[in-house]
Amino acid sequence: MNYLIINGSPRKKNTWAVVEQVKKNLNGNFDEIQLSKEKIPLCNGCLKCIMDGEEKCHHYEKVNHILEKLEKADALIITSPVYAMNVSGLIKNFFDHTAYLYHRPVFFTKKALVIVTTAGTGHKKVAKYMDETIRHWGINKVYQLKFACGGKDLLDTKSIDKVSQKFRNDVESGKLHSPKFMDVVFFNVWKAMAVMDNPIKADCKFWHETGLVNHEFSPEVKLGIVKKAFSKIMFNILKRVM
């Protein structure tokens, strides 16, 4: 299997130590992106990626080659230390540049492992934020490893191995999990926005060209009867509201 590692720490210390332990439990190839070396300029909030299409971003080439690597990979490992009770600036800037993926999700067949470490606290909050963000990209299933390095957890390789092996088995299985209800809700929010009067042109083009506008969720992912019905109801409600 091919794994893309996006490291959001400016150094290779505690967070990277967890990555190295994780790698021991995975069978495959690793493509490593060190965001500190990518030199991605700060997002200037111009909204061009959302309104006009991601290729209109002034920093498109800097960001898109990373997402192209994710498209080719079987799974993602993404990391951040906790800085000031939030993700590192490197990860936040990268996430800001991928804001258009909230409107136009694409990675429905990918699974991910989020790794967060801290010298104090905030690791659970940060891991949750990273989990939610990449699920908006369409990521099918997210696993988490979050550690307070001041305690014994970081040295507890058993917990790292357990989650890593579960992640590996899931990736290798090729199974796609049913989305959470909130993922279905947001899918329909963006779909409804694409068909409303005067939609964002980039959104409208994406949803119609991909055919996602005709589905309750990504067609690669099976929905049960309940979630299919829920998706249809949500879309009809949101379409009327918007």
Side-chain angles (χ1 to χ4, degrees), residues 33-49:
I33 294 287
Q34 303 295 331
L35 288 179
S36 60
K37 296 181 179 180
E38 293 298 311
K39 307 299 181 184
I40 301 172
L42 288 175
C43 172
N44 58 21
C46 68
L47 296 178
K48 285 185 178 295
C49 67

Side-chain angles (χ1 to χ4, degrees), residues 26-215:
L26 304 180
N27 299 317
N29 304 307
F30 303 97
D31 191 354
E32 299 177 2
I33 294 287
Q34 303 295 331
L35 288 179
S36 60
K37 296 181 179 180
E38 293 298 311
K39 307 299 181 184
I40 301 172
L42 288 175
C43 172
N44 58 21
C46 68
L47 296 178
K48 285 185 178 295
C49 67
I50 293 175
M51 305 302 293
D52 301 324
E54 59 272 23
E55 68 280 357
K56 300 299 183 180
C57 172
H58 298 300
H59 314 140
Y60 175 70
E61 297 297 334
K62 283 281 190 178
V63 176
N64 191 61
H65 84 95
I66 300 175
L67 298 177
E68 286 180 341
K69 286 177 179 288
L70 177 54
E71 182 60 44
K72 296 175 182 177
D74 295 297
L76 169 68
I77 299 171
I78 187 166
T79 80
S80 178
V82 176
Y83 285 174
M85 295 297 288
N86 212 315
V87 292
S88 68
L90 290 167
I91 281 288
K92 185 62 172 70
N93 187 44
F94 178 63
F95 281 171
D96 289 348
H97 278 88
T98 65
Y100 67 91
L101 288 172
Y102 275 69
H103 287 240
R104 307 188 288 275
V106 292
F107 299 115
F108 294 102
T109 63
K110 310 298 180 183
K111 295 167 186 174
L113 172 63
V114 167
I115 298 174
V116 177
T117 65
T118 180
T121 188
H123 48 305
K124 294 180 181 179
K125 172 187 172 182
V126 169
K128 181 180 178 182
Y129 165 68
M130 293 177 70
D131 180 313
E132 291 177 343
T133 297
I134 61 176
R135 285 209 333 270
H136 280 295
W137 295 358
I139 296 287
N140 177 251
K141 175 75 174 179
V142 182
Y143 292 83
Q144 296 182 15
L145 282 169
K146 42 191 184 289
F147 298 104
C149 306
K152 63 180 181 179
D153 287 345
L154 188 64
L155 303 178
D156 183 11
T157 58
K158 288 184 179 180
S159 59
I160 299 174
D161 293 345
K162 182 178 179 180
V163 174
S164 302
Q165 290 164 12
K166 190 174 181 181
F167 174 57
R168 179 199 68 203
N169 292 338
D170 197 4
V171 172
E172 293 179 352
S173 75
K175 173 186 176 183
L176 294 178
H177 302 273
S178 179
K180 297 181 179 181
F181 277 99
M182 281 307 300
D183 295 333
V184 176
V185 170
F186 279 108
F187 180 90
N188 283 286
V189 167
W190 310 125
K191 185 171 77 168
M193 286 182 65
V195 300
M196 68 181 184
D197 294 336
N198 299 316
I200 295 172
K201 290 182 179 179
D203 288 359
C204 184
K205 179 181 177 182
F206 169 82
W207 283 88
H208 283 88
E209 287 188 352
T210 60
L212 286 174
V213 72
N214 300 314
H215 297 277

